[in-house]
Amino acid sequence: MKLEDLRKIRERAEKDISLRRGDARVNVVIGMGTSGIAAGARNVMSAFLDEIGKRDLADTIVTQTGGRGLASSEPIVELHIKNEPVVVYGEMTDDKARRVVAEHIVNGSPVSEYVIEVRD
Amino acid sequence: MPHRLDVLVCSGAACVSNHTADVRDALQSAIEAHGLSTEVRLVETGCMGPCELGPILLVYPEGALYIRVTPDDANEIVEEHFLKGRPVQRLLWEDPAARRIAEEKKQVAFFERQEKVVLSNCGTIDPEDLQEYIATGGYEALGLALTERQPEELIQIVLDSKLRGRGGAGFPTGLKWQLAARAEGDEKYIVCNGDEGDPGAFMDRALLEGDPHAVIEGMTIAAYAIGAAKGFIYVRAEYPLAIRRLEIAIDQARASGLLGEDILETGFAFDVEIRIGAGAFVCGEETALIASIEGQRGMPRTRPPYPSDRGVFGQPTLINNVETWGNIRHIVLRGADWFRSIGTESSPGTKVFALSGKITNTGIVEVPMGTTLRELIDEIGGGIPDGKALKAVQTGGPSGGCIPAQHIDTPIDYESLKELGAFMGSGGVIVLDEDDCMVGIAKYFLEFSCDESCGKCVPCRVGTRTMLSILERITDGRGTLGDLEQLQMLADTIRSTSLCGLGQAAPSPVLSTMKHFREEYEEHVQTATCSAKRCKALIRYEIDRAACKACDLCRKACPVEAIEGTPGEPPYTIHESVCIQCGRCFDVCPFDAVRIESGKKKQNEVEG
Ligand SMILES: Cc1cc2nc3c(=O)[nH]c(=O)nc-3n(C[C@H](O)[C@H](O)[C@H](O)COP(=O)(O)O)c2cc1C
Ligand code: SF4
């Protein structure tokens, strides 16, 4: 192994432990209350994780929260991007999750059809 | 799919003996049972620090810190936190000072007040996974050294950093490197001193267990700087986990071309071997350690010649402490100016300490040099438990001394501690409260040195034994004021005529307590009392007639049947002539009816 090889390994390895640094740019918060889970929040979470993995987005983490009292719009997902307002998406599905990753997290434009709230 | 949760399971030696492996297994099965195997990753790390609170879990990305976790808690943690995102409040660290539950590790004063440089990877990476070490910039310093620095430049960086040896004496590390580089020899050796024999010290163990590659990397950089091809890591046999993790790390480094022939394909060759010591304290002394590596009995020899001229197999040898080695990669990567920006002018950088004794948070901590004892004890250590008052702080183990409470604002650095008659030592900090007897503490450490003396020189072998018997006389209430003078005289002789540091420093615990707590010595010899009520010969156990409820617990607990009484018919009585002052009755009494009274046993008074 040469120094360049070491550096390549490091690049990959850094991504692998990025969760522990606490400096993620994007936090995808999935509503995992009882009603959220019943409405399919687990599938939505898996879709986010899968898409984030495929796109190798090391600056993005997925966390959960309890129910937020908007049972009619579950599954609910909040997108927290550093220095940007919080965007809340409702009635999420597997496909919608993948679109949010592509358009909002990667390209920076919220998918307005699914947005139910924007908070500062 | 990436993991969304990293669950760090502390697998330092203390947590391992607290059955952290059972917790890990229980978590693993609960994770599988909930179908979360692809989402949650368990990572076993080195020591996180607060050893008494183990087993400890640290969950990222939140940074939630769980303490005293049992296998029975695993299911709740997985279901509530990992699945539903609701951290289990009852298991989170509750900061006793702030009286609040810390949602995140960052909110805990114990962590927040520390500055982790050497221990930056301890408790945050898997020490058995080379990739994780590399992720933190591991082996980058070595790569930089081998490809872009000349050996002399590296020595200059270490000189400029003003790093001082962390093994105790604080000798300038760069100077030692320079001497070893300039010395003539057919071969040169690098040695890592991981003997760590002082009671109350386990800093080096934490680093070896938690980040073994950092030590190997530091040694390899030095090997290049001084032109050595071979190194030894000396570890005591009582550290099996450290040995295992070092072995794994060495194998991984060799397999990846980071150790052995042609390191990082630069043509440079260096390899290390582990040497396991039997655990004698004197084997930590560098010349004894070298003899032990050579397969001889671990006995010190006179210096000069110093190891940098004549060390292992008579060849120039560079020997540094584990923690010293752990600093090297950071200094090479971040520079001497950065290093000097931490700590104090004369003692730059950080220091790792092992906190023990009468302190709320025991364990391993790292702080900048110059941090005061007050910050260390009150803020990081969480103060003295049970509302007791601080009496003194013992640093430097058997070679060190006691700093009385009034000096608690002393900044910790080599010079300040020395001025107070104490010693930085390797980092053991034992906190003593009002219930500790300073004569007893001095006796404890002197007895340790006396037992560990290799016997080569008379002042150390016989002198410490004589001092010990005087101290025994004093704690038995049979001492005289003349004994104090004699202690002083013996101490002076032993200090100036012993061959090695063990003998030279053995009287220090006695001298420092005689200096700062002379009244306690006088009290023992003049009135045969021990106001801390610790010296067995000078206390009596008595039962308070009014408080006794005749529950019979004390009678059952007494190993020598010194207690008499009938259940339900108070009061019970203790027969002084039979009592051996073991204190078991005191410990078991639910009504605080057993009292410790000052004063000799009555029959002693008659005799004496
Ligand atoms: C009795 C005795 C025990 C010692 N034990 C240790 C030890 O356990 N670890 C250590 O690093 N140094 C120990 N030392 C100090 C070593 O002799 C030596 O100074 C040190 O390893 C040098 O490394 P450093 O410059 O990095 O501190 C001991 C010294 C004496 C006199
Ligand atoms: S001072 Fe004590 S331990 Fe050191 S060489 Fe002499 S007898 Fe041995």
Side-chain angles (χ1 to χ4, degrees), chain A residues 26-52:
Chain A
V26 184
N27 184 5
V28 182
V29 185
I30 319 256
M32 282 289 228
T34 317
S35 58
I37 292 177
R42 294 265 326 139
N43 280 342
V44 172
M45 174 183 270
S46 302
F48 270 108
L49 288 169
D50 184 51
E51 200 61 31
I52 289 163

Side-chain angles (χ1 to χ4, degrees), chain A residues 4-80:
Chain A
E4 300 99 82
D5 306 321
L6 178 78
R7 288 183 176 154
K8 273 188 218 126
I9 295 176
R10 176 176 174 184
E11 231 173 85
R12 250 189 296 124
E14 269 177 350
K15 283 186 183 164
D16 198 47
I17 65 164
S18 59
L19 278 180
R20 294 174 225 170
R21 277 203 302 272
D23 58 356
R25 184 183 66 93
V26 184
N27 184 5
V28 182
V29 185
I30 319 256
M32 282 289 228
T34 317
S35 58
I37 292 177
R42 294 265 326 139
N43 280 342
V44 172
M45 174 183 270
S46 302
F48 270 108
L49 288 169
D50 184 51
E51 200 61 31
I52 289 163
K54 279 189 190 146
R55 292 168 184 272
D56 205 9
L57 306 176
D59 61 353
T60 303
I61 60 171
V62 177
T63 60
Q64 316 119 299
T65 178
R68 287 190 51 242
L70 287 165
S72 58
S73 311
E74 298 275 15
I76 291 172
V77 173
E78 295 181 0
L79 208 58
H80 296 241

Side-chain angles (χ1 to χ4, degrees), chain B residues 282 299-301 452-458 460-461 498-504:
Chain B
V282 77
M299 269 206 189
R301 61 156 174 79
E452 294 288 327
S453 165
C454 79
K456 189 167 176 171
C457 8
V458 177
C460 173
R461 187 183 68 229
S498 290
L499 172 66
C500 86
L502 190 153
Q504 287 158 10

Side-chain angles (χ1 to χ4, degrees), chain A residues 10 14 17 20-21, chain B residues 8-12 43-49 58 60 105 115-140 206-215 217 245 326 329-330 333-334 352 364 366:
Chain A
R10 176 176 174 184
E14 269 177 350
I17 65 164
R20 294 174 225 170
R21 277 203 302 272
Chain B
L8 276 48
V9 184
C10 183
S11 304
V43 181
E44 288 177 58
T45 71
C47 176
M48 294 186 186
L58 181 54
Y60 283 110
K105 181 179 162 194
E115 179 157 351
K116 296 214 176 179
V117 173
V118 175
L119 295 183
S120 55
N121 285 343
C122 276
T124 58
I125 67 163
D126 178 353
E128 299 185 10
D129 185 346
L130 175 59
Q131 306 272 332
E132 294 210 348
Y133 179 65
I134 292 175
T136 68
Y139 289 109
E140 179 71 27
L207 183 57
L208 291 172
E209 283 175 5
D211 201 13
H213 283 288
V215 175
E217 185 176 359
R245 294 208 175 127
R329 74 173 183 115
H330 300 285
L333 269 188
R334 292 150 98 171
V352 180
I364 298 286
E366 180 174 1

Side-chain angles (χ1 to χ4, degrees), chain B residues 59-111:
Chain B
V59 184
Y60 283 110
E62 299 95 321
L65 188 76
Y66 289 118
I67 58 172
R68 297 202 176 102
V69 182
T70 66
D72 293 339
D73 299 323
N75 209 48
E76 185 179 352
I77 294 175
V78 172
E79 188 160 328
E80 288 300 309
H81 183 171
F82 300 176
L83 187 65
K84 298 181 186 160
R86 293 187 289 240
V88 181
Q89 300 288 316
R90 70 177 174 89
L91 295 171
L92 294 174
W93 175 310
E94 187 171 352
D95 207 331
R99 298 240 171 120
R100 58 157 190 196
I101 290 174
E103 299 281 346
E104 277 183 79
K105 181 179 162 194
K106 280 196 287 241
Q107 297 170 347
V108 179
F110 177 85
F111 293 104

Side-chain angles (χ1 to χ4, degrees), chain B residues 8 111 205 217 232 305 341 410 451 453 458 467 530 556 577:
Chain B
L8 276 48
F111 293 104
R205 182 182 74 184
E217 185 176 359
F232 296 96
S341 74
T410 304
D451 288 347
S453 165
V458 177
M467 280 182 78
C530 169
K556 287 199 200 107
S577 54

